[in-house]
Amino acid sequence: MDQHILSRIDRAVADNLKDIERSFGEQAGLVQDFIMFISRQLKTDLFGYTRFTVQQFCEHTGRNRQDLALVHPDFSSGRKQPPEIQGYAFQTVLDYALYAMMERNIIFSRSYEVKGHNSVVHMTHFPILKDLKLNFNRKDKQQKIYDIRLSDELISGFLSRYYIIDSESYKLVGKGRGGDSRKKLLIYLSKISHVLHSTSTATETTIPLDRICRFADINDIKPSHKKQNLQRMLTHLKCIGRFPIHFEFVSYRGSSEYALRLAFLSGPDRMKVQKEHTFYYRLLNGMRDVFNLCGTGPATPSIEEDPFQNWLINRGLNTAEKARVLQQAYYIAFSINLPDSVATDLVLSGDFLKPLI
DNA sequence: AGAAGTTAGCGAGACTGTTG
DNA sequence: CAACAGTCTCGCTAACTTCT
């Protein structure tokens, strides 16, 4: 079971974890988990509509169902009134966190620079969800099913601005006491690994102890305690999280202060990453082109909030054109020739990416 | 009946103080 | 300052009730 599941986490998120804390308070851990969860789902639900149950969420993030099902203390103590959508109160821990992600943005403390094709965009905030529904009128023995729509920012981040991170490690590392800090450390290290592997052939780097402690929530005064804590966390990542890293403490600039030398034993498979990148990029942009050409369809009301996404998931519209885009993406990225009938079936079934799994 | 939501108790392990 | 050890807290488990 030493499977590595490579996901992509948006750089705007990974670079600003502290801002999630600032914007979401004690819900920050859940928000971060949700983004990781959704990044994993995005590999198969590319177009931003995702449907999931509490069980699935727990399975993939390693959280406990019981903790998420509890009515949030703010509401059970009567201090606040839970928000409602269509008369349904979003009052459990998970419900409320999802609601918060729709209602609130991540506010960046400093504007975050994103380099586009020929411009630099400054992001000051980052929305996560655009829409949130669930099967409000449940009958007997029916599970809660969450229906969500992701923000455009999250989807474009998935395509063009991401770090590779192993979501299986993320899940394993999050279990047990101190999990939230370990997860943050894992994101930070994955980011370093990603940058290192994609810009050079080096696999080693040295980081001052204080900087890494900031990311790992280690606030001890005594250097020896910092070292002890960090050592424990890194060992945990290595042994329990199966994160392929080698570390050693070294003295820093001749002073008595510590630094950490890190060696990443294996980076993400570069070929595979590159192929996937091409595939997703081709697919989504190809679909956009087709949509712009002929997508508005017969008598589609223009008041629709998100015509592109609606067009995409609408099975009756432009099936042949969609199938062609899919074929091209498979061919260019993986050299796979999808027969016409298979491509059409995939488009009709909605499982565009099934052959990848 | 099965899923949602609650509660108690236990054990790992994070924190902190002591020692050499 | 490193190594060790005791304490106490957090988070998991499992068994329960309530809800639809």
Side-chain angles (χ1 to χ4, degrees), chain A residues 2-251:
Chain A
D2 62 339
Q3 230 180 347
H4 291 283
I5 297 174
L6 299 185
S7 298
R8 304 158 158 218
I9 185 167
D10 194 305
R11 294 189 182 201
V13 173
D15 291 339
N16 297 288
L17 293 182
K18 292 280 172 208
D19 291 328
I20 297 186
E21 283 168 51
R22 241 190 305 278
S23 306
F24 288 94
E26 87 272 14
Q27 290 177 317
L30 250 182
V31 171
Q32 192 187 294
D33 273 8
F34 177 79
I35 291 173
M36 278 300 296
F37 170 67
I38 227 61
S39 304
R40 183 171 172 162
Q41 299 287 106
L42 257 179
K43 288 191 116 176
T44 50
D45 294 330
L46 183 61
F47 305 118
Y49 277 100
T50 301
R51 174 171 289 203
F52 62 93
T53 63
V54 190
Q55 276 83 354
Q56 283 170 343
F57 183 77
C58 292
E59 206 176 298
H60 289 161
T61 57
R63 282 186 178 265
N64 295 308
R65 183 190 62 82
Q66 289 94 319
D67 303 332
L68 303 180
L70 267 167
V71 171
H72 193 279
D74 278 2
F75 308 135
S76 55
S77 67
R79 251 180 298 156
K80 279 191 201 169
Q81 284 298 311
E84 290 186 5
I85 296 179
Q86 293 181 24
Y88 179 88
F90 283 72
Q91 57 174 353
T92 65
V93 172
L94 182 62
D95 286 356
Y96 187 40
L98 287 170
Y99 182 87
M101 280 184 258
M102 186 179 70
E103 187 208 37
R104 236 178 296 158
N105 294 324
I106 302 172
I107 308 291
F108 295 141
S109 54
R110 288 172 299 165
S111 92
Y112 181 76
E113 283 192 8
V114 180
K115 291 182 182 68
H117 289 296
N118 41 25
S119 63
V120 175
V121 180
H122 295 270
M123 295 177 77
T124 54
H125 57 95
F126 188 92
I128 304 167
L129 292 184
K130 250 191 341 200
D131 198 11
L132 165 65
K133 292 205 186 83
L134 60 88
N135 48 343
F136 297 107
N137 304 309
R138 272 173 290 145
K139 302 238 167 65
D140 294 10
K141 339 175 216 181
Q142 267 203 316
Q143 274 182 298
K144 264 186 179 174
I145 297 171
Y146 296 91
D147 248 321
I148 56 155
R149 205 156 55 139
L150 297 178
S151 70
D152 299 331
E153 282 80 355
L154 209 60
I155 296 172
S156 79
F158 176 83
L159 279 186
S160 56
R161 149 189 100 227
Y162 56 86
Y163 301 118
I164 298 288
I165 180 166
D166 185 338
S167 34
E168 202 57 24
S169 292
Y170 184 85
K171 165 184 160 183
L172 293 170
V173 148
K175 291 200 181 223
R177 205 174 160 189
D180 280 346
S181 326
R182 283 193 299 271
K183 283 187 285 196
K184 277 185 249 171
L185 180 59
L186 182 75
I187 291 179
Y188 178 61
L189 293 178
S190 302
K191 165 184 162 177
I192 293 176
S193 169
H194 181 109
V195 172
L196 210 58
H197 281 104
S198 56
T199 56
S200 68
T201 52
T203 56
E204 260 190 43
T205 186
T206 303
I207 300 170
L209 193 73
D210 281 344
R211 187 185 311 164
I212 204 166
C213 281
R214 255 206 316 281
F215 288 97
D217 282 339
I218 295 172
N219 301 312
D220 298 83
I221 312 292
K222 290 174 75 177
S224 63
H225 278 163
K226 280 187 192 173
K227 184 188 165 191
Q228 183 193 29
N229 275 329
L230 195 59
Q231 182 147 37
R232 196 179 46 229
M233 286 174 77
L234 287 167
T235 310
H236 194 111
L237 297 199
K238 214 172 137 176
C239 299
I240 303 205
R242 307 195 191 124
F243 188 68
I245 194 176
H246 196 78
F247 64 90
E248 96 188 280
F249 290 91
V250 294
S251 63

Side-chain angles (χ1 to χ4, degrees), chain A residues 276-307:
Chain A
E276 281 192 355
H277 181 88
T278 308
F279 176 76
Y280 289 120
Y281 206 80
R282 276 273 163 183
L283 185 59
L284 202 66
N285 283 326
M287 291 295 184
R288 279 239 158 78
D289 290 344
V290 174
F291 172 74
N292 290 333
L293 224 70
C294 55
T296 40
T300 308
S302 56
I303 31 166
E304 192 49 69
E305 200 186 322
D306 198 329

